[in-house]
Amino acid sequence: MADTHCPYCALQCGMSLAVPSGAAGPAAVVSPREFPTNRGGLCQKGWTAASVLGAPDRLTTPLVRGASGELEPASWDEALDLVAGRLAALAAEHGPQSVAVFGGGGLTNEKAYALGKFARTVLRTPNIDYNGRFCMASAAAGMNRAFGVDRGLPFPLEDLGGAGAVLLLGSNLAETMPPAVQHLAGSRERGGLVVVDPRRSVTARLADDGAGIHLAPVPGTDLVVLLGLLHVILAEGLADLPYLGARTTGFEDVARSAAAWWPERCEGVSGVPADDLRRVARLLASASPSRGGRGVYVLTGRGVEQSTQGTATVTAAINLALALGLPGRVGSGYGAITGQGNGQGGREHGQKADQLPGYRKIDDPAARAHVAAVWGVDPDSLPGPGKPAVELLRSLGRRSEGDDGPRALLVHGSNLVVSAPNATSVVERLQSLDLLVVCDFVPSETALLADVVLPVTQWAEEEGTMTSLEGRVIRRRKALEAPGEARSELWILAELARRLGSAVAFPTDPAVVFEELARASAGGPADYSGLSHARLDADEAESGPGLFWPVPAGNPAGTPRLFLERFATPDGRARMVAVDHAGPSDDVRPGAPVHLVTGRVLQHYQSGAQTHRVADLERLVPEPYVELHPVLGFRLGVTDGARVRLTSARGWVEATARWTDAIRPDTVFMPFHWSGSGSVNRVTTDATDPISGMPEFKVCAVDVTPVPLEAAR
Ligand SMILES: Nc1nc2c(c(=O)[nH]1)N[C@H]1C(S)=C(S)[C@@H](COP(=O)(O)OP(=O)(O)OC[C@H]3O[C@@H](n4cnc5c(=O)[nH]c(N)nc54)[C@H](O)[C@@H]3O)O[C@H]1N2
Ligand SMILES: Nc1nc2c(c(=O)[nH]1)N[C@H]1C(S)=C(S)[C@@H](COP(=O)(O)OP(=O)(O)OC[C@H]3O[C@@H](n4cnc5c(=O)[nH]c(N)nc54)[C@H](O)[C@@H]3O)O[C@H]1N2
Ligand code: SF4
Ligand SMILES: [Mo]
């Protein structure tokens, strides 16, 4: 029996794994465990998580593309010698930047750290980024700018329970983190849950029956909704002026920018009735601490962040929270709901293009000196910042004057072919590489394109740490042996480093890697220096709920709530920044008259690489689908259950139409969990937010057409 956490999302539900004696590994039995985020609850993905480990097509040996063009089993020596030899040759001929690395927010802290270190010290390439750019980059940019630090929830999730009101923008928590819904019970009882989503999602329905209010804006117009709410707060004298004076800068500019967005003007752009905006603004104000309320939380999810104005929208949400005097007060605050299992820790320890461990900036001379000393290298040997993910992917294999894109890519923990925006062009870029190496534990669509596939251990087969959506550092524990020859990435990176002649040490024991990570993070914003596996184990044995960073060596209790005294900015005040609405990059137009929004469904996880291999989940949601309103269906001749095609400027996708009145009639919704002709990322845009580099997954313009019966398979 091992106490561990679910392998999937950032809620990191506590669970125990038992392996019946005599049974093979995947027969492990999951049982929920008391942990503050899930309190004994699990979703269907968590319950069935162990079965993926025994998937019939689990990768158990390295694969190398042979002369026949097929991937064929190879020994570890053959595969690693081949990879190291080709990486060395490319670097010698074209320079170190000719090799690129793509990481993932599902990797443990130890693996993410080792990957960043490997890129900077062995490959010496600036070209490393990761799938968190698709996920948390806008929230991170907005929080860093306003608060000087980015911890998704700067308070324990349980704090939500006491609030009078929760404003949830672009998050479908009831499907993406079901056990977290219990933390909304308090605000629902008090009639204070406000959900903003163009769909009447499962989460939006939680606001029915007097539990709160659902606002359904035109996709991509949340910034206007937020400016309208701020306008009402200011116009009706509901702002917390003493707090604004004592704890913020920039309020005057922000107030001026909101003055131009009176509710009726907002209604014209967002479609949200002006009276609803007033009602919500008053509800939030009456629950806010300055008016004697129980407290308010403003929370954002991918629905508002995966946008070319994602950072601006997060900034507007933070401005609203600051105007109400919420951040840095017990019982109130602003937070962004981190997505991937280690989406928080994965964005702290150096797999981000501009980052060194401890959430340090790679262009900061003091940070370079500190981390280089831990790694035993010359600070001047460390590369500078690289390109954010979408730009990096676009540059792969590109050859033109003055533009020599990477020729090799190592992928660790992402299934780009399905999950990257404008995916058809990503496949073209991957195919133009001299060498594609994919580490995975199942043959994902991306692995199937690779020249070399390296089988890894995952989750219940390894020790490590993860950092939950609240910045709580927790232990992942090994319960079973990995099948066949699957090896940990820590070992793979060490073996490649050795073959590439590096003198830098790459320990393979996760506890030792963590010790080094802790030293490298010391003094940085995400300081783990007071932590070790032993300390985390001891804390859990005393039924401590994990430790929240920063945990500097001098403050071993950790920091559940940030900003209570000051923000992490030079002057200690939160920075308010005026922002304005520009609209999506790909707005509806003749030829593409319908908004397409994308997202998730409870039973499937991300690219589906894992959940499509779980029979129970596959049975519940067996095929890709598109949600549309019957009014739109009638108008376009797309009946319920028929096959429908969505066409954008990038390409087309086909799926089964599902009629529902839970969506705006000018909008269709499609989850992104499928590959091939059902992969919605064939039509999404790869336009990005100018500050965060985050792609605009959530909104694009499509033409919606029925697929004639004879053409539909
Ligand atoms: N079942 C399941 N759970 C998951 C995951 C998964 O793949 N499957 N992935 C995990 C990860 S990595 C992440 S990042 C989280 C994501 O968690 P969420 O952010 O909750 O998930 P999404 O479904 O992507 O988007 C949320 C909502 O945004 C809405 N939306 C779309 N466009 C707009 C808009 O313009 N404005 C507003 N206000 N809303 C809009 C969609 O209708 C959708 O209901 O989930 C995590 N949990
Ligand atoms: N249209 C649209 N597209 C989206 C989104 C959206 O809302 N709409 N959301 C975006 C978001 S928020 C995210 S987070 C991305 C996620 O999309 P991806 O980055 O594709 O995420 P996963 O499908 O989880 O892929 C992770 C892969 O890593 C493997 N893996 C798991 N553990 C390990 C490990 O320890 N080591 C290695 N080497 N491999 C491992 C898994 O088997 C899987 O193949 O998708 C983005 N794409
Ligand atoms: S909510 Fe997330 S962490 Fe919890 S069981 Fe489901 S997928 Fe796992
Ligand atoms: Mo994500």
Side-chain angles (χ1 to χ4, degrees):
M1 174 81 95
D3 282 350
T4 188
H5 296 267
C6 176
Y8 295 114
C9 84
L11 198 60
Q12 283 297 291
C13 294
M15 55 168 64
S16 300
L17 274 181
V19 186
S21 61
V29 178
V30 166
S31 51
R33 187 165 61 87
E34 208 42 48
F35 183 70
T37 61
N38 64 310
R39 291 185 182 149
L42 290 181
C43 80
Q44 295 166 3
K45 297 187 299 302
W47 279 110
T48 55
S51 71
V52 192
L53 299 172
D57 60 349
R58 174 84 197 255
L59 296 172
T60 54
T61 162
L63 302 173
V64 172
R65 199 166 293 281
S68 66
E70 299 296 311
L71 283 168
E72 290 161 6
S75 72
W76 273 107
D77 276 339
E78 282 164 349
L80 292 170
D81 286 346
L82 178 94
V83 172
R86 295 190 58 188
L87 292 179
L90 285 171
E93 194 178 341
H94 305 288
Q97 77 291 342
S98 63
V99 179
V101 178
F102 201 91
L107 303 178
T108 58
N109 288 317
E110 292 80 354
K111 291 183 185 181
Y113 167 81
L115 193 62
K117 178 182 171 187
F118 179 82
R120 271 61 173 253
T121 64
V122 179
L123 302 175
R124 297 195 178 180
T125 179
N127 288 322
I128 174 168
D129 209 43
Y130 79 128
N131 69 4
R133 188 71 64 179
F134 299 162
C135 184
M136 292 307 296
S138 291
M143 291 184 89
N144 275 323
R145 183 165 71 176
F147 304 137
V149 72
D150 151 40
R151 202 181 89 188
L153 299 186
F155 44 79
L157 186 64
E158 285 183 302
D159 282 6
L160 295 185
V166 174
L167 171 62
L168 198 55
L169 298 131
S171 159
N172 187 10
L173 208 60
E175 288 204 69
T176 53
M177 300 186 179
V181 166
Q182 60 191 310
H183 301 292
L184 300 175
S187 56
R188 292 177 69 202
E189 269 163 34
R190 296 168 200 120
L193 177 64
V194 183
V195 179
V196 185
D197 196 312
R199 298 189 301 144
R200 197 157 61 80
S201 63
V202 181
T203 309
R205 280 170 231 173
L206 296 174
D208 287 351
D209 301 326
I213 302 170
H214 170 213
L215 306 179
V218 173
T221 63
D222 300 83
L223 187 39
V224 168
V225 171
L226 287 160
L227 287 163
L229 293 174
L230 183 59
H231 178 99
V232 178
I233 303 270
L234 298 178
E236 300 192 359
L238 303 172
D240 187 345
L241 297 175
Y243 170 100
L244 285 163
R247 300 212 57 185
T248 70
T249 58
F251 170 62
E252 286 74 19
D253 276 355
V254 169
R256 252 192 310 277
S257 68
W261 286 101
W262 57 93
E264 280 71 17
R265 182 179 173 212
C266 295
E267 176 175 340
V269 178
S270 70
V272 174
D275 281 345
D276 282 358
L277 289 172
R278 291 196 179 87
R279 209 151 58 96
V280 169
R282 290 171 195 150
L283 184 156
L284 297 177
S286 69
S288 67
S290 67
R291 313 193 77 76
R294 297 183 59 115
V296 179
Y297 287 92
V298 176
L299 302 175
T300 57
R302 301 309 82 77
V304 299
E305 295 162 11
Q306 289 171 327
S307 150
T308 47
Q309 49 186 18
T311 307
T313 307
V314 164
T315 300
I318 292 174
N319 288 341
L320 175 69
L322 290 167
L324 291 167
L326 313 178
R329 269 201 170 125
V330 177
S332 288
Y334 164 80
I337 303 169
T338 294
Q340 296 183 84
N342 198 26
Q344 180 67 55
R347 68 184 193 264
E348 298 165 359
H349 299 296
Q351 51 175 340
K352 215 171 172 180
D354 58 352
Q355 189 193 64
L356 289 174
Y359 224 131
R360 290 185 150 93
K361 298 292 281 180
I362 202 167
D363 54 7
D364 169 3
R368 293 170 69 88
H370 173 85
V371 174
V374 175
W375 289 346
V377 300
D378 177 355
D380 292 337
S381 71
L382 298 177
K387 305 179 193 69
V390 173
E391 215 181 300
L392 178 63
L393 294 177
R394 263 190 222 135
S395 74
L396 295 177
R398 289 259 182 235
R399 302 281 158 269
S400 57
E401 201 118 350
D403 179 14
D404 194 18
R407 294 162 193 257
L409 180 71
L410 313 181
V411 179
H412 294 258
S414 179
N415 189 7
L416 290 164
V417 164
V418 179
S419 57
N422 191 5
T424 310
S425 73
V426 171
V427 172
E428 279 165 22
R429 291 296 93 223
L430 294 178
Q431 283 170 335
S432 75
L433 289 166
D434 293 359
L435 178 68
L436 175 62
V437 181
V438 175
C439 283
D440 209 310
F441 74 106
V442 290
S444 70
E445 286 77 3
T446 309
L448 292 176
L449 281 187
D451 300 293
V452 180
V453 180
L454 302 176
V456 297
T457 56
Q458 202 246 4
W459 183 48
E461 299 160 352
E462 62 185 21
E463 296 284 331
T465 59
M466 308 282 277
T467 304
S468 79
L469 76 171
E470 330 152 272
R472 197 194 303 251
V473 188
I474 53 184
R475 286 278 278 115
R476 164 179 280 194
R477 292 196 181 83
K478 181 170 172 172
L480 20 119
E481 293 303 325
E485 295 174 42
R487 295 293 184 100
S488 163
E489 250 137 342
L490 296 177
W491 179 84
I492 294 172
L493 295 173
E495 286 296 310
L496 286 175
R498 186 171 66 76
R499 283 174 167 79
L500 287 163
S502 170
V504 178
F506 278 84
T508 56
D509 176 347
V512 176
V513 177
F514 190 92
E515 265 170 40
E516 189 186 304
L517 174 163
R519 275 188 288 127
S521 77
D527 189 330
Y528 284 39
S529 60
L531 290 176
S532 63
H533 282 201
R535 171 135 169 62
L536 290 166
D537 288 341
D539 176 73
E540 198 174 302
E542 291 158 22
S543 74
L547 290 145
F548 296 79
W549 69 256
V551 197
N555 170 23
T559 319
R561 295 177 187 83
L562 292 173
F563 318 141
L564 294 182
E565 309 290 329
R566 64 193 309 278
F567 294 97
T569 52
D571 63 4
R573 289 162 174 253
R575 295 186 204 109
M576 298 181 82
V577 179
V579 286
D580 207 357
H581 176 71
S585 64
D586 187 37
D587 209 357
V588 290
R589 55 187 180 267
V594 179
H595 298 281
L596 164 66
V597 304
T598 69
R600 295 163 165 79
V601 59
L602 197 168
Q603 290 81 1
H604 283 301
Y605 192 66
Q606 320 270 59
S607 69
Q610 298 176 73
T611 47
H612 288 312
R613 292 180 162 82
V614 179
D616 287 340
L617 299 176
E618 199 59 4
R619 206 173 301 125
L620 289 164
V621 187
E623 58 167 12
Y625 65 90
V626 174
E627 283 183 1
L628 79 167
H629 197 282
V631 166
L632 184 65
F634 262 122
R635 190 153 64 72
L636 301 176
V638 177
T639 49
D640 188 29
R643 209 157 162 78
V644 60
R645 177 182 278 227
L646 312 179
T647 309
S648 77
R650 275 76 48 193
W652 58 266
V653 58
E654 285 183 8
T656 302
R658 277 196 197 175
W659 278 16
T660 168
D661 62 0
I663 189 165
R664 297 175 54 96
D666 57 3
T667 301
V668 296
F669 169 79
M670 186 170 175
F672 77 102
H673 309 298
W674 291 271
S675 59
S677 63
S679 170
V680 76
N681 279 324
R682 288 159 42 127
V683 306
T684 54
T685 169
D686 58 4
T688 57
D689 178 297
I691 298 172
S692 68
M694 186 143 185
E696 188 150 66
F697 282 120
K698 275 295 175 280
V699 189
C700 72
V702 290
D703 191 22
V704 181
T705 49
V707 180
L709 255 188
E710 60 275 20
R713 267 184 287 191

